[in-house]
Amino acid sequence: MKYFIANWKANKNLGEAQQWVTDFLKKIDDNPAVKQKIEKQEAAVIICPPFPLLSPLKDMLGHHTISVGCQDISLYEGGTYTGEVTAYILESLAQYAIIGHSERKKYFHETDDNVKTKYVLAKKYNIKPIYCVAAPEIPYPSDVQLLCYEPPEAISSGDGRGNYEPLEAVLLAKKKLHPSGDMKFIYGGSVNEDNVDVYLKSNEIDGFLVGGASLDPAHFFNIIKK
Ligand code: PGA
């Protein structure tokens, strides 16, 4: 099974998101081979929009065996924290959560300890964490099921066409991270329809976290199709 995770970051309003889903579902309907892979969960497709779009997207995508995930969760479980969105709130809205993305660390000063706390909270509220590490030296909990290696220098400035990491470097990082046998290893960093073949050559990579290239439904679909 391969994972295809769309990380929309701070992009798309409600109307744009609905249009994206309509166009994406049409692409899938027009391609029975891809449709079958998604229905059989051989391709796990997870769309991570901004928080307010989770509910409408879940309604639109749920019948198509496509999941939604959030891009972060609060460090707090609940209480007097204006503006925070907690795992408790998200439990019925998001099946997955991206935890510890390097942009959270770069722009919002999130620490490795914060990430671990968020990981525990996500699991407590039945949200599957997609645990991000920016480098092979970064420790992570041993029971992580979805480990995402996303080196910051490979992340695009928004168009999905940055300095993607060569396959050999990704595989070396995986080796250093020592993921356990049943852990899924995801790569993120400028994955797009033109370079995804590089990674698909290896059975060592279980999926992709796609930022810029997921903003266009046709582009994201082409990655899955490959
Ligand atoms: P990108 O983002 O595909 O635009 O490089 C990936 C990520 O944020 O992990």
Side-chain angles (χ1 to χ4, degrees):
M1 189 226 263
K2 290 253 190 265
Y3 288 82
F4 299 90
I5 306 162
N7 178 10
W8 285 0
K9 308 191 178 183
N11 292 293
K12 298 197 187 295
N13 62 19
L14 177 59
E16 290 163 345
Q18 286 168 327
Q19 189 60 54
W20 187 100
V21 173
T22 303
D23 295 346
F24 185 64
L25 291 178
K26 170 135 189 14
K27 286 258 166 211
I28 292 170
D29 271 339
D30 290 347
N31 191 315
V34 173
K35 191 173 180 177
Q36 206 184 31
K37 294 245 179 220
I38 294 174
E39 279 171 1
K40 288 187 173 164
Q41 287 288 288
E42 286 168 27
V45 180
I46 304 160
I47 313 299
C48 302
F51 286 128
L53 308 182
L54 282 166
S55 185
L57 259 58
K58 189 166 183 255
D59 290 347
M60 288 179 86
L61 291 167
H63 303 298
H64 302 269
T65 41
I66 295 173
S67 305
V68 293
C70 49
Q71 301 169 17
D72 184 34
I73 58 165
S74 175
L75 189 54
Y76 303 102
E77 195 163 0
T80 53
Y81 301 102
T82 301
E84 286 297 278
V85 184
T86 65
Y88 171 73
I89 296 167
L90 290 162
E91 182 174 17
S92 59
L93 299 172
Q95 288 124 305
Y96 292 84
I98 299 171
I99 302 283
H101 192 283
S102 62
E103 285 159 7
R104 300 292 318 163
K105 292 182 171 156
K106 182 173 167 190
Y107 299 117
F108 305 100
H109 315 296
E110 202 168 282
T111 65
D112 289 342
D113 281 347
N114 293 160
V115 177
K116 284 191 191 122
T117 304
K118 292 181 177 198
Y119 174 72
V120 172
L121 285 170
K123 288 210 320 174
K124 178 169 178 185
Y125 290 99
N126 305 307
I127 302 167
K128 295 186 190 116
I130 301 163
Y131 198 97
C132 296
V133 290
E137 300 77 39
I138 296 186
Y140 62 89
S142 58
D143 61 347
V144 162
Q145 289 183 341
L146 288 170
L147 181 66
C148 178
Y149 169 61
E150 41 107 36
E153 61 280 6
I155 294 177
S156 82
S157 54
D159 61 359
R161 300 198 178 271
N163 294 320
Y164 64 98
E165 186 127 315
L167 174 65
E168 297 69 33
V170 176
L171 296 183
L172 184 64
K174 180 178 177 185
K175 212 168 159 194
K176 290 185 183 166
L177 283 159
H178 296 298
S180 68
D182 51 356
M183 209 177 274
K184 301 290 179 197
F185 180 77
I186 314 283
Y187 167 70
S190 295
V191 174
N192 60 48
E193 61 188 343
D194 298 323
N195 63 28
V196 71
D197 309 81
V198 168
Y199 304 108
L200 291 171
K201 277 189 219 139
S202 167
N203 284 334
E204 296 274 311
I205 300 172
D206 299 301
F208 308 99
L209 181 64
V210 186
S214 73
L215 294 173
D216 171 21
H219 195 159
F220 188 55
F221 175 81
N222 287 342
I223 293 172
I224 300 167
K225 193 168 96 180
K226 287 199 167 175

